[in-house]
Coordinates of all heavy atoms in Angstrom, one line a residue:
M10 N -12.8 -22.6 78.7 CA -11.5 -22.9 79.1 C -10.7 -21.6 79.2 O -10.9 -20.7 78.3 CB -10.8 -23.9 78.1 CG -9.4 -24.0 78.5 SD -8.2 -24.9 77.3 CE -9.1 -26.2 76.7
S11 N -10.0 -21.3 80.3 CA -9.2 -20.1 80.4 C -8.0 -20.2 79.5 O -7.4 -21.2 79.3 CB -8.9 -19.8 81.8 OG -8.0 -20.8 82.3
K12 N -7.5 -19.0 79.2 CA -6.3 -18.9 78.3 C -5.0 -18.9 79.2 O -5.1 -18.3 80.3 CB -6.3 -17.5 77.5 CG -7.5 -17.6 76.6 CD -7.5 -16.2 75.8 CE -8.7 -16.3 74.8 NZ -8.7 -15.1 74.1
T13 N -4.0 -19.4 78.7 CA -2.7 -19.4 79.4 C -2.1 -18.0 79.2 O -2.5 -17.3 78.3 CB -1.7 -20.5 78.8 OG1 -1.4 -20.2 77.4 CG2 -2.4 -21.9 78.8
N14 N -1.1 -17.7 80.1 CA -0.4 -16.5 79.9 C 0.2 -16.4 78.5 O 0.3 -15.3 77.9 CB 0.7 -16.4 81.0 CG 0.1 -16.0 82.3 OD1 -0.9 -15.6 82.5 ND2 0.9 -16.4 83.3
E15 N 0.8 -17.5 78.0 CA 1.4 -17.5 76.6 C 0.5 -17.1 75.5 O 0.7 -16.4 74.7 CB 2.0 -18.9 76.4 CG 2.6 -19.0 75.0 CD 3.8 -18.1 74.9 OE1 4.6 -17.8 75.8 OE2 4.0 -17.6 73.7
Q16 N -0.8 -17.6 75.7 CA -1.9 -17.3 74.7 C -2.2 -15.9 74.7 O -2.4 -15.1 73.9 CB -3.1 -18.2 74.9 CG -2.9 -19.7 74.5 CD -4.1 -20.6 74.9 OE1 -4.7 -20.3 76.1 NE2 -4.2 -21.6 74.1
R17 N -2.5 -15.4 76.0 CA -2.8 -13.9 76.1 C -1.6 -13.0 75.6 O -1.9 -12.0 74.9 CB -3.1 -13.6 77.6 CG -4.4 -14.1 78.1 CD -4.8 -13.5 79.3 NE -3.9 -13.9 80.4 CZ -4.1 -14.9 81.2 NH1 -5.1 -15.7 81.1 NH2 -3.3 -15.2 82.2
W18 N -0.4 -13.4 76.0 CA 0.8 -12.6 75.5 C 0.8 -12.6 74.0 O 1.0 -11.4 73.3 CB 2.1 -13.2 76.0 CG 3.1 -12.2 75.9 CD1 3.7 -11.3 76.8 CD2 4.0 -12.1 74.7 NE1 4.7 -10.6 76.2 CE2 4.9 -11.0 75.0 CE3 4.1 -12.7 73.4 CZ2 6.0 -10.6 74.0 CZ3 5.1 -12.2 72.4 CH2 6.0 -11.2 72.8
Q19 N 0.6 -13.8 73.3 CA 0.6 -13.8 71.8 C -0.6 -13.0 71.2 O -0.4 -12.3 70.2 CB 0.5 -15.3 71.4 CG 0.6 -15.5 69.9 CD 1.9 -15.1 69.4 OE1 2.9 -15.4 69.9 NE2 1.9 -14.2 68.3
E20 N -1.8 -13.0 71.8 CA -2.9 -12.3 71.4 C -2.6 -10.7 71.3 O -2.8 -10.0 70.4 CB -4.2 -12.5 72.1 CG -4.7 -14.0 71.8 CD -5.9 -14.3 72.6 OE1 -6.3 -13.5 73.5 OE2 -6.5 -15.4 72.4
N21 N -2.0 -10.3 72.5 CA -1.7 -8.9 72.6 C -0.6 -8.5 71.6 O -0.6 -7.5 71.1 CB -1.2 -8.6 74.0 CG -2.4 -8.5 75.0 OD1 -3.4 -8.0 74.7 ND2 -2.1 -9.0 76.3
Y22 N 0.4 -9.4 71.4 CA 1.4 -9.1 70.5 C 0.9 -9.0 69.1 O 1.1 -8.1 68.3 CB 2.5 -10.2 70.6 CG 3.6 -10.1 69.5 CD1 4.6 -9.2 69.7 CD2 3.5 -10.8 68.3 CE1 5.6 -9.1 68.7 CE2 4.4 -10.6 67.4 CZ 5.5 -9.8 67.6 OH 6.4 -9.6 66.5
D23 N 0.0 -10.0 68.6 CA -0.6 -10.0 67.4 C -1.5 -8.7 67.2 O -1.4 -8.2 66.0 CB -1.5 -11.2 67.1 CG -0.7 -12.5 67.1 OD1 0.5 -12.4 66.9 OD2 -1.3 -13.6 67.3
Q24 N -2.2 -8.3 68.2 CA -3.1 -7.1 68.0 C -2.1 -5.9 67.9 O -2.3 -5.0 67.0 CB -4.0 -6.9 69.2 CG -5.1 -7.9 69.3 CD -5.9 -7.9 70.6 OE1 -5.7 -6.9 71.4 NE2 -6.8 -8.8 70.9
L25 N -1.0 -5.8 68.8 CA -0.3 -4.6 68.6 C 0.6 -4.6 67.3 O 0.7 -3.6 66.7 CB 0.7 -4.7 69.8 CG 1.7 -3.4 69.8 CD1 0.8 -2.0 69.9 CD2 2.6 -3.4 71.0
K26 N 1.0 -5.7 66.8 CA 1.7 -5.8 65.5 C 0.7 -5.3 64.4 O 1.2 -4.6 63.5 CB 2.1 -7.2 65.3 CG 2.9 -7.4 64.0 CD 3.3 -8.7 63.8 CE 4.2 -8.9 62.5 NZ 4.7 -10.2 62.2
A27 N -0.6 -5.8 64.5 CA -1.5 -5.4 63.4 C -1.7 -3.9 63.4 O -1.8 -3.3 62.4 CB -2.9 -6.1 63.6
Y28 N -1.7 -3.3 64.7 CA -1.9 -1.8 64.8 C -0.7 -1.1 64.2 O -0.9 -0.1 63.5 CB -2.1 -1.5 66.3 CG -2.5 -0.1 66.5 CD1 -3.8 0.4 66.5 CD2 -1.4 1.0 66.5 CE1 -4.1 1.8 66.6 CE2 -1.7 2.3 66.6 CZ -3.0 2.7 66.7 OH -3.3 4.0 66.8
V29 N 0.5 -1.6 64.5 CA 1.7 -0.9 64.1 C 1.8 -1.0 62.5 O 2.2 -0.1 61.9 CB 3.0 -1.5 64.8 CG1 4.2 -1.0 64.2 CG2 3.0 -1.1 66.3
L30 N 1.5 -2.2 62.1 CA 1.5 -2.4 60.6 C 0.6 -1.3 59.9 O 0.8 -0.9 58.7 CB 1.3 -3.8 60.2 CG 2.5 -4.8 60.5 CD1 1.9 -6.2 60.2 CD2 3.6 -4.4 59.6
E31 N -0.7 -1.2 60.4 CA -1.6 -0.4 59.8 C -1.3 1.1 59.9 O -1.5 1.9 59.0 CB -3.0 -0.7 60.4 CG -4.1 0.2 59.8 CD -5.5 -0.1 60.3 OE1 -5.6 -1.2 61.0 OE2 -6.4 0.7 60.1
H32 N -0.9 1.5 61.2 CA -0.7 3.0 61.5 C 0.8 3.5 61.5 O 1.0 4.6 61.7 CB -1.4 3.2 62.9 CG -2.8 3.0 62.9 ND1 -3.7 3.7 62.3 CD2 -3.5 1.9 63.4 CE1 -4.9 3.2 62.4 NE2 -4.8 2.1 63.1
H33 N 1.8 2.5 61.5 CA 3.1 2.8 61.6 C 3.7 3.4 62.8 O 4.5 4.2 62.7 CB 3.4 3.6 60.3 CG 2.9 3.1 59.1 ND1 3.3 1.9 58.5 CD2 2.0 3.6 58.2 CE1 2.7 1.7 57.4 NE2 1.9 2.8 57.3
Q34 N 2.9 3.2 63.9 CA 3.3 3.9 65.2 C 2.5 3.0 66.3 O 1.7 2.3 66.0 CB 2.8 5.3 65.3 CG 1.3 5.6 65.2 CD 0.9 7.1 65.2 OE1 1.9 7.8 65.0 NE2 -0.2 7.3 65.3
L35 N 2.9 3.3 67.6 CA 2.3 2.8 68.7 C 0.9 3.5 68.9 O 0.8 4.6 68.4 CB 3.0 3.0 69.9 CG 4.3 2.1 70.0 CD1 5.1 2.5 71.3 CD2 4.0 0.6 70.0
P36 N 0.0 2.9 69.6 CA -1.4 3.6 69.9 C -1.1 4.8 70.5 O -0.3 5.0 71.4 CB -2.1 2.5 70.7 CG -1.5 1.2 70.4 CD -0.1 1.5 70.0
N37 N -2.0 5.8 70.3 CA -2.1 7.1 70.9 C -2.6 6.9 72.4 O -3.7 6.3 72.6 CB -2.9 8.1 70.2 CG -2.9 9.4 70.7 OD1 -2.7 9.7 71.9 ND2 -3.2 10.5 69.9
K38 N -1.9 7.4 73.3 CA -2.3 7.2 74.7 C -3.6 8.0 75.1 O -4.2 7.7 76.1 CB -1.3 7.7 75.8 CG -0.9 9.1 75.7 CD 0.3 9.4 76.7 CE 0.6 10.9 76.7 NZ 1.7 11.1 77.5
K39 N -3.9 8.9 74.2 CA -5.2 9.9 74.5 C -6.4 9.2 73.9 O -7.6 9.5 74.2 CB -5.0 11.2 73.9 CG -3.8 12.0 74.5 CD -3.7 13.3 74.0 CE -2.5 13.9 74.7 NZ -2.3 15.3 74.2
K40 N -6.3 8.1 73.1 CA -7.5 7.4 72.6 C -7.7 6.1 73.4 O -7.0 5.2 73.4 CB -7.3 7.2 71.2 CG -7.1 8.3 70.3 CD -7.0 7.9 68.8 CE -7.0 9.2 68.0 NZ -6.8 9.0 66.6
A41 N -8.8 6.1 74.2 CA -9.1 5.0 75.1 C -9.2 3.6 74.4 O -8.9 2.7 75.1 CB -10.3 5.4 75.8
E42 N -9.6 3.6 73.1 CA -9.9 2.3 72.5 C -8.7 1.5 72.4 O -8.7 0.3 72.2 CB -10.6 2.5 71.2 CG -9.9 3.2 70.2 CD -10.1 4.7 70.1 OE1 -10.7 5.1 71.0 OE2 -9.7 5.4 69.2
N43 N -7.5 2.1 72.2 CA -6.2 1.2 72.1 C -5.3 1.5 73.3 O -4.2 1.1 73.1 CB -5.5 1.7 70.8 CG -6.4 1.3 69.5 OD1 -6.9 0.2 69.5 ND2 -6.6 2.2 68.7
R44 N -5.7 2.2 74.4 CA -4.8 2.4 75.3 C -4.2 1.1 76.1 O -3.2 1.0 76.6 CB -5.5 3.3 76.5 CG -4.5 3.8 77.5 CD -5.1 4.8 78.4 NE -5.8 5.9 77.6 CZ -6.9 6.6 77.9 NH1 -7.6 6.1 78.9 NH2 -7.3 7.6 77.2
G45 N -5.1 0.0 76.2 CA -4.6 -1.2 76.7 C -3.5 -1.8 75.9 O -2.5 -2.4 76.6
L46 N -3.4 -1.7 74.6 CA -2.3 -2.2 73.9 C -1.0 -1.3 74.2 O 0.1 -2.0 74.3 CB -2.5 -2.1 72.4 CG -3.4 -3.1 71.8 CD1 -3.7 -2.8 70.3 CD2 -3.0 -4.5 72.0
L47 N -1.1 -0.1 74.3 CA 0.0 0.7 74.7 C 0.5 0.3 76.0 O 1.7 0.2 76.3 CB -0.4 2.3 74.6 CG 0.8 3.2 74.9 CD1 1.9 3.1 73.8 CD2 0.2 4.6 74.8
N48 N -0.4 0.2 77.0 CA 0.0 -0.1 78.3 C 0.6 -1.4 78.4 O 1.7 -1.7 79.1 CB -1.2 -0.2 79.3 CG -1.7 1.2 79.6 OD1 -1.0 2.3 79.3 ND2 -3.0 1.4 80.0
W49 N 0.2 -2.4 77.5 CA 0.9 -3.7 77.4 C 2.3 -3.6 76.9 O 3.1 -4.2 77.5 CB 0.0 -4.7 76.6 CG 0.5 -6.0 76.3 CD1 0.4 -7.0 77.1 CD2 1.3 -6.5 75.3 NE1 1.1 -8.1 76.7 CE2 1.7 -7.9 75.6 CE3 1.9 -5.9 74.2 CZ2 2.6 -8.5 74.7 CZ3 2.7 -6.6 73.3 CH2 3.0 -7.9 73.6
W50 N 2.4 -2.7 75.9 CA 3.8 -2.3 75.4 C 4.7 -1.8 76.4 O 5.8 -2.4 76.5 CB 3.7 -1.5 74.2 CG 5.0 -0.9 73.7 CD1 5.5 0.3 74.1 CD2 5.8 -1.5 72.8 NE1 6.7 0.5 73.4 CE2 7.0 -0.6 72.6 CE3 5.9 -2.6 72.1 CZ2 8.1 -0.8 72.0 CZ3 6.9 -3.0 71.4 CH2 8.0 -2.0 71.2
K51 N 4.2 -0.9 77.1 CA 5.0 -0.3 78.2 C 5.4 -1.2 79.3 O 6.6 -1.2 79.7 CB 4.3 0.9 78.8 CG 4.2 2.2 77.9 CD 3.4 3.3 78.5 CE 3.3 4.4 77.7 NZ 2.6 5.5 78.4
Y52 N 4.4 -2.1 79.7 CA 4.7 -3.1 80.8 C 5.9 -4.0 80.3 O 6.8 -4.3 81.0 CB 3.4 -3.9 81.0 CG 3.6 -5.0 81.9 CD1 3.9 -4.7 83.3 CD2 3.6 -6.4 81.5 CE1 4.2 -5.8 84.2 CE2 3.8 -7.5 82.3 CZ 4.1 -7.2 83.7 OH 4.2 -8.2 84.6
N53 N 5.7 -4.5 79.1 CA 6.8 -5.4 78.5 C 8.1 -4.6 78.3 O 9.2 -5.3 78.6 CB 6.4 -6.0 77.2 CG 5.5 -7.0 77.4 OD1 5.9 -8.3 77.6 ND2 4.2 -6.9 77.3
Q54 N 8.2 -3.4 78.1 CA 9.4 -2.6 78.0 C 10.0 -2.5 79.4 O 11.2 -2.7 79.5 CB 9.2 -1.2 77.4 CG 8.7 -1.2 75.9 CD 9.7 -1.9 75.0 OE1 10.9 -1.6 75.0 NE2 9.2 -3.0 74.3
R55 N 9.3 -2.4 80.3 CA 9.6 -2.4 81.9 C 10.3 -3.8 82.1 O 11.4 -3.8 82.8 CB 8.6 -2.1 82.7 CG 9.1 -1.9 84.2 CD 8.0 -1.4 85.1 NE 6.9 -0.9 84.4 CZ 5.6 -1.1 84.8 NH1 5.3 -1.9 85.9 NH2 4.6 -0.5 84.2
L56 N 9.7 -4.9 81.8 CA 10.1 -6.2 82.0 C 11.5 -6.4 81.3 O 12.4 -7.0 81.9 CB 9.3 -7.3 81.6 CG 7.9 -7.4 82.3 CD1 7.0 -8.5 81.7 CD2 8.2 -7.6 83.8
I57 N 11.7 -5.9 80.1 CA 13.0 -6.0 79.4 C 14.0 -5.2 80.2 O 15.1 -5.8 80.4 CB 12.8 -5.3 77.9 CG1 12.0 -6.3 77.1 CG2 14.2 -5.2 77.3 CD1 11.5 -5.7 75.7
R58 N 13.8 -4.0 80.6 CA 14.7 -3.3 81.4 C 15.2 -4.0 82.7 O 16.3 -3.8 83.2 CB 14.2 -1.8 81.7 CG 14.3 -1.0 80.5 CD 14.0 0.6 80.9 NE 12.7 0.7 81.5 CZ 11.5 0.8 81.0 NH1 11.5 0.9 79.7 NH2 10.4 1.0 81.7
Q59 N 14.2 -4.7 83.4 CA 14.4 -5.5 84.5 C 15.1 -6.7 84.3 O 15.5 -7.5 85.2 CB 13.2 -5.6 85.3 CG 12.5 -4.3 85.8 CD 11.1 -4.4 86.4 OE1 10.6 -5.5 86.3 NE2 10.7 -3.4 87.0
G60 N 15.1 -7.2 83.1 CA 15.8 -8.5 82.7 C 14.9 -9.6 83.0 O 15.3 -10.7 83.2
K61 N 13.5 -9.4 83.1 CA 12.6 -10.4 83.4 C 11.8 -11.1 82.3 O 11.0 -11.8 82.4 CB 11.5 -9.9 84.3 CG 12.2 -9.5 85.7 CD 11.1 -8.9 86.6 CE 11.7 -8.5 88.0 NZ 10.7 -8.0 88.9
L62 N 12.1 -10.5 81.1 CA 11.5 -11.0 79.9 C 12.3 -12.0 79.1 O 13.5 -11.7 79.0 CB 11.1 -9.9 78.9 CG 9.8 -10.1 78.0 CD1 8.6 -10.5 78.6 CD2 9.6 -9.0 77.0
S63 N 11.7 -13.0 78.5 CA 12.5 -14.0 77.9 C 13.3 -13.4 76.7 O 12.8 -12.5 76.1 CB 11.6 -15.2 77.4 OG 10.9 -14.9 76.4
P64 N 14.4 -14.1 76.4 CA 15.1 -13.5 75.1 C 14.2 -13.5 73.9 O 14.3 -12.7 73.0 CB 16.3 -14.4 75.0 CG 16.6 -14.9 76.3 CD 15.2 -15.0 77.1
E65 N 13.5 -14.6 73.9 CA 12.6 -14.7 72.6 C 11.5 -13.6 72.6 O 11.4 -13.0 71.4 CB 11.8 -16.2 72.6 CG 10.9 -16.2 71.4 CD 10.0 -17.6 71.6 OE1 10.6 -18.6 71.7 OE2 8.7 -17.3 71.6
R66 N 10.9 -13.4 73.6 CA 9.9 -12.2 73.6 C 10.6 -10.9 73.4 O 10.1 -10.0 72.7 CB 9.0 -12.3 74.9 CG 8.1 -13.4 75.0 CD 7.3 -13.2 76.2 NE 6.2 -14.4 76.2 CZ 5.5 -14.5 77.2 NH1 5.4 -13.8 78.3 NH2 4.5 -15.6 77.1
T67 N 11.8 -10.7 74.0 CA 12.5 -9.5 73.8 C 12.7 -9.3 72.3 O 12.6 -8.2 72.0 CB 13.8 -9.5 74.7 OG1 13.4 -9.7 76.1 CG2 14.5 -8.3 74.6
E68 N 13.2 -10.2 71.7 CA 13.6 -10.0 70.3 C 12.4 -9.8 69.6 O 12.4 -8.9 68.5 CB 14.3 -11.3 69.8 CG 14.6 -11.3 68.3 CD 15.6 -10.3 67.9 OE1 16.3 -9.6 68.8 OE2 15.6 -9.9 66.8
R69 N 11.3 -10.5 69.8 CA 10.0 -10.2 69.1 C 9.6 -8.7 69.2 O 9.1 -8.1 68.3 CB 8.9 -11.2 69.5 CG 9.3 -12.6 69.0 CD 8.2 -13.6 69.4 NE 7.0 -13.4 68.7 CZ 5.9 -13.9 68.9 NH1 5.7 -14.6 70.0 NH2 4.9 -13.6 68.1
L70 N 9.6 -8.2 70.4 CA 9.3 -6.9 70.6 C 10.3 -5.9 70.0 O 9.9 -4.8 69.6 CB 9.1 -6.6 72.1 CG 8.0 -7.3 72.8 CD1 8.1 -7.1 74.3 CD2 6.7 -6.7 72.3
R71 N 11.5 -6.1 70.0 CA 12.4 -5.4 69.2 C 12.1 -5.3 67.8 O 12.3 -4.2 67.1 CB 13.9 -5.9 69.5 CG 14.9 -5.0 68.9 CD 16.3 -5.6 68.6 NE 16.1 -6.7 67.8 CZ 16.2 -6.7 66.4 NH1 16.1 -5.5 65.9 NH2 16.2 -7.7 65.6
Q72 N 11.8 -6.4 67.2 CA 11.4 -6.4 65.8 C 10.2 -5.5 65.5 O 10.1 -4.9 64.6 CB 11.3 -7.9 65.4 CG 12.5 -8.6 65.3 CD 12.3 -10.2 64.9 OE1 11.1 -10.5 64.8 NE2 13.4 -10.9 64.7
L73 N 9.2 -5.7 66.5 CA 8.1 -4.9 66.4 C 8.4 -3.3 66.5 O 7.9 -2.6 65.7 CB 7.0 -5.3 67.3 CG 5.7 -4.6 67.4 CD1 4.9 -4.9 66.1 CD2 4.8 -5.1 68.6
S74 N 9.2 -3.1 67.4 CA 9.7 -1.7 67.4 C 10.4 -1.2 66.1 O 10.2 -0.1 65.7 CB 10.7 -1.5 68.7 OG 11.1 -0.2 68.8
D75 N 11.2 -2.1 65.5 CA 11.8 -1.7 64.3 C 10.8 -1.4 63.1 O 11.1 -0.6 62.2 CB 12.7 -2.8 63.8 CG 14.0 -2.9 64.7 OD1 14.3 -2.0 65.6 OD2 14.6 -4.0 64.6
L76 N 9.6 -2.0 63.2 CA 8.6 -1.7 62.1 C 8.1 -0.3 62.2 O 7.7 0.4 61.3 CB 7.4 -2.6 62.4 CG 7.5 -4.2 62.1 CD1 6.4 -4.9 62.5 CD2 7.8 -4.3 60.5
R77 N 8.1 0.2 63.5 CA 7.8 1.6 63.6 C 8.7 2.6 63.0 O 8.3 3.6 62.4 CB 7.6 2.0 65.2 CG 6.6 1.3 65.9 CD 6.6 1.8 67.3 NE 7.9 1.8 67.9 CZ 8.4 2.7 68.8 NH1 7.5 3.6 69.3 NH2 9.6 2.6 69.3
H78 N 10.0 2.2 63.0 CA 11.0 3.1 62.5 C 11.3 3.1 60.9 O 11.9 3.8 60.4 CB 12.4 2.8 63.1 CG 12.3 3.0 64.6 ND1 12.1 4.2 65.3 CD2 12.3 2.0 65.7 CE1 11.9 4.0 66.6 NE2 12.1 2.8 66.8
V79 N 10.6 2.2 60.2 CA 10.6 2.2 58.8 C 9.4 2.9 58.2 O 9.2 2.8 57.0 CB 10.8 0.7 58.3 CG1 12.0 0.1 58.7 CG2 9.6 -0.1 58.7
R80 N 8.8 3.7 59.0 CA 7.5 4.4 58.5 C 7.9 5.2 57.2 O 7.1 5.2 56.2 CB 7.0 5.4 59.6 CG 5.9 6.2 59.1 CD 5.4 7.0 60.1 NE 4.3 7.7 59.7 CZ 3.5 8.5 60.5 NH1 3.9 8.7 61.6 NH2 2.4 9.1 60.0
E81 N 9.1 5.9 57.1 CA 9.3 6.8 56.0 C 9.5 5.9 54.8 O 9.3 6.4 53.6 CB 10.6 7.6 56.2 CG 12.0 6.7 56.5 CD 12.0 6.2 58.1 OE1 11.1 6.7 58.9 OE2 13.2 5.7 58.4
L82 N 9.8 4.7 54.9 CA 9.8 3.7 53.6 C 8.4 3.5 53.1 O 8.3 3.2 52.1 CB 10.6 2.4 54.0 CG 12.0 2.5 54.4 CD1 12.7 1.3 54.8 CD2 12.9 3.2 53.3
W83 N 7.4 3.5 54.0 CA 6.1 3.2 53.6 C 5.3 4.2 52.9 O 4.3 4.1 52.4 CB 5.4 2.7 54.8 CG 5.8 1.4 55.4 CD1 6.6 0.5 54.6 CD2 5.6 0.8 56.6 NE1 6.8 -0.6 55.5 CE2 6.4 -0.4 56.6 CE3 5.0 1.2 57.8 CZ2 6.4 -1.2 57.9 CZ3 4.9 0.5 58.9 CH2 5.6 -0.8 58.9
T84 N 5.7 5.5 53.2 CA 5.1 6.7 52.7 C 5.6 7.3 51.5 O 6.5 6.8 50.9 CB 4.9 7.8 53.7 OG1 6.4 8.1 54.1 CG2 4.2 7.4 54.9

């Protein structure tokens, strides 16, 4: 059975959230193994700027972005 767009979005979000929680930053664009997650993040940021992303998803990505900015509290 193929996955719905909602399921794929959630999987990418979960993977990126796990990465940010572990590394306290977005994936490095120079490392190919995580470049897909970074591209997914950038694509969603573009959708936010264009007003095409739902308010719920926009808020979830904002919260994920906030996790990057509390790095100094973790170290």
Side-chain angles (χ1 to χ4, degrees):
M10 180 192 313
S11 64
K12 296 179 182 178
T13 65
N14 286 339
E15 179 64 31
Q16 289 170 325
R17 283 193 298 270
W18 194 94
Q19 184 62 46
E20 286 177 3
N21 283 323
Y22 175 83
D23 291 341
Q24 290 175 7
L25 185 58
K26 183 176 181 179
Y28 186 92
V29 170
L30 287 172
E31 182 179 345
H32 300 284
H33 315 296
Q34 63 185 16
L35 290 173
N37 185 332
K38 67 181 180 181
K39 295 180 181 181
K40 294 186 179 178
E42 64 270 10
N43 294 311
R44 195 173 297 143
L46 286 176
L47 182 60
N48 289 339
W49 180 84
W50 168 263
K51 289 179 179 180
Y52 173 73
N53 279 278
Q54 295 304 305
R55 186 174 345 134
L56 291 178
I57 290 170
R58 287 190 301 276
Q59 295 172 350
K61 295 181 179 180
L62 200 63
S63 73
E65 177 187 301
R66 287 183 178 180
T67 298
E68 178 60 19
R69 292 180 70 197
L70 289 172
R71 186 197 62 76
Q72 290 172 356
L73 184 58
S74 182
D75 290 347
L76 288 176
R77 297 179 312 147
H78 300 296
V79 295
R80 179 180 184 179
E81 59 272 4
L82 298 176
W83 294 339
T84 55

